[in-house]
Amino acid sequence: MNIIKTSKELKAYRDALNNNGNTLAFVPTMGALHEGHLSLMKEGFKHADQVIVSIFVNPTQFAPNEDFDSYPRTIEEDLRKLKEIGVSAVWLPVVEDLYPNGEEIDMHMSGVSEPLEGEFRPHFFDGVATVVSRLFKAVKPDMALFGEKDFQQLQVIRKMVKEHNVPVQIIGVETARDEDGLALSSRNAYLSKEEHQAAIKLNKILKDLAHGNIGEAIAHEMLLTAGFDKVDYCTLRNSATLQAEGLIDRALVAAWIGKTRLIDNMAVNT
Ligand code: PAF
């Protein structure tokens, strides 16, 4: 596995691929890799000759009160996992590679980035769209893979690519779950044993909402009864616009247990 640390090394890797006519799939990550990330990489191998991963905890997608400093950083373990599944290269950019002029934001995807996560984390998608567009410019992949777990993020990135004519195919990959149905997330590492027991109920409540067995208000109440402390949203939306209008085909939830915020979503009637 190629461990790429500088922009010069990245360019050399990319040029060599071009010369060989090999296609490249890209999985951008913030590290703390789990099976969900690995499933994106495995899917990448189905679509391209080589898979490159980046590990970069992006400061511009965290608000000052969020967990940037405490976000899990497990680089040695991550590199071991990447080697094991056989990715071709991993790029470990530093802040200056992606933000040479300071931590500026130059992307805002109006519409799709504004409801739901956009209401509760207004800085978030601008930071994500900015860093992903910069990562794409540096890596120049043929395609990039993102998990459906961050469903709104996936739609924001699709819009960014379309509006800015970025020649990268975006592939969404089904959410990876543990045996209890809990969507895999790096932030699950924050949950205590008791909190984990409450967290696994989210999946069942979300399923009931998506299948039309319960409505939004009941689902909200059930989350609180299950042990969640606060529900940011628990709602049925249109999957393209994330608005409560048009075809309603996605159920989405964000809720807090203690200091941990969990999100999940599901297609309606699946
Ligand atoms: O989903 C993530 O891990 C991050 O938001 C991403 C896409 C790597 C951008 O920092």
Side-chain angles (χ1 to χ4, degrees):
M1 183 174 72
N2 224 315
I3 301 181
I4 298 173
K5 293 207 172 138
T6 65
S7 303
K8 204 170 150 198
E9 287 166 6
L10 180 63
K11 189 173 176 312
Y13 169 79
R14 196 62 194 91
D15 288 349
L17 276 193
N18 271 351
N19 293 339
N20 297 335
N22 279 345
T23 52
L24 183 63
F26 178 35
V27 181
T29 80
M30 299 207 299
L33 302 178
H34 51 66
E35 278 302 320
H37 295 111
L38 304 187
S39 73
L40 302 182
M41 296 159 203
K42 287 176 193 158
E43 188 65 29
F45 281 117
K46 294 186 194 159
H47 297 269
D49 299 311
Q50 297 211 13
V51 174
I52 185 168
V53 172
S54 63
I55 298 180
F56 178 68
V57 184
N58 173 35
T60 65
Q61 68 191 73
F62 291 80
N65 61 327
E66 291 185 343
D67 57 346
F68 176 72
D69 289 333
S70 59
Y71 195 83
R73 289 164 172 86
T74 56
I75 188 70
E76 292 309 321
E77 183 69 356
D78 291 349
L79 292 177
R80 191 189 59 70
K81 288 178 183 165
L82 293 176
K83 258 187 211 146
E84 212 169 277
I85 75 153
V87 306
S88 326
V90 55
W91 179 33
L92 307 172
V94 293
V95 172
E96 292 70 29
D97 291 320
L98 294 162
Y99 297 103
N101 304 316
E103 291 175 17
E104 62 195 7
I105 296 281
D106 51 18
M107 287 278 168
H108 175 71
M109 294 302 114
S110 59
V112 68
S113 74
E114 286 156 7
L116 306 180
E117 289 300 296
E119 273 170 41
F120 291 91
R121 305 182 70 198
H123 56 283
F124 177 66
F125 288 126
D126 295 352
V128 168
T130 298
V131 80
V132 170
S133 94
R134 291 175 182 208
L135 289 164
F136 282 180
K137 272 191 194 132
V139 174
K140 300 185 181 64
D142 297 288
M143 66 210 69
L145 298 100
F146 295 87
E148 285 189 348
K149 148 114 186 342
D150 295 290
F151 191 77
Q152 194 173 0
Q153 168 174 281
L154 174 62
Q155 303 303 58
V156 167
I157 290 166
R158 285 192 201 284
K159 181 166 183 188
M160 185 271 287
V161 161
K162 197 166 170 206
E163 277 191 1
H164 293 266
N165 295 316
V166 181
V168 177
Q169 183 196 353
I170 303 300
I171 301 174
V173 179
E174 208 180 306
T175 303
R177 299 180 180 280
D178 71 11
E179 64 280 5
D180 298 312
L182 181 65
L184 299 185
S185 161
S186 307
R187 290 189 170 102
N188 292 354
Y190 299 153
L191 296 171
S192 69
K193 245 191 185 154
E194 294 73 40
E195 288 173 338
H196 186 266
Q197 280 313 108
I200 61 181
K201 297 186 187 141
L202 185 144
N203 180 249
K204 177 162 184 342
I205 297 168
L206 184 62
K207 245 188 210 157
D208 279 340
L209 178 65
H211 289 183
N213 299 336
I214 54 173
E216 293 177 353
I218 301 282
H220 187 126
E221 270 317 302
M222 285 174 75
L223 285 166
L224 296 176
T225 310
F228 281 82
D229 297 298
K230 187 155 77 87
V231 179
D232 283 350
Y233 56 81
C234 174
T235 187
L236 295 162
R237 295 291 167 111
N238 174 267
S239 59
T241 62
L242 279 305
Q243 301 291 343
E245 311 165 341
L247 175 70
I248 298 299
D249 55 353
R250 204 86 198 172
L252 303 106
V253 177
W256 291 85
I257 303 186
K259 291 194 176 118
T260 309
R261 185 173 187 271
L262 298 179
I263 61 171
D264 201 351
N265 70 89
M266 206 169 272
V268 161
N269 283 332
T270 55

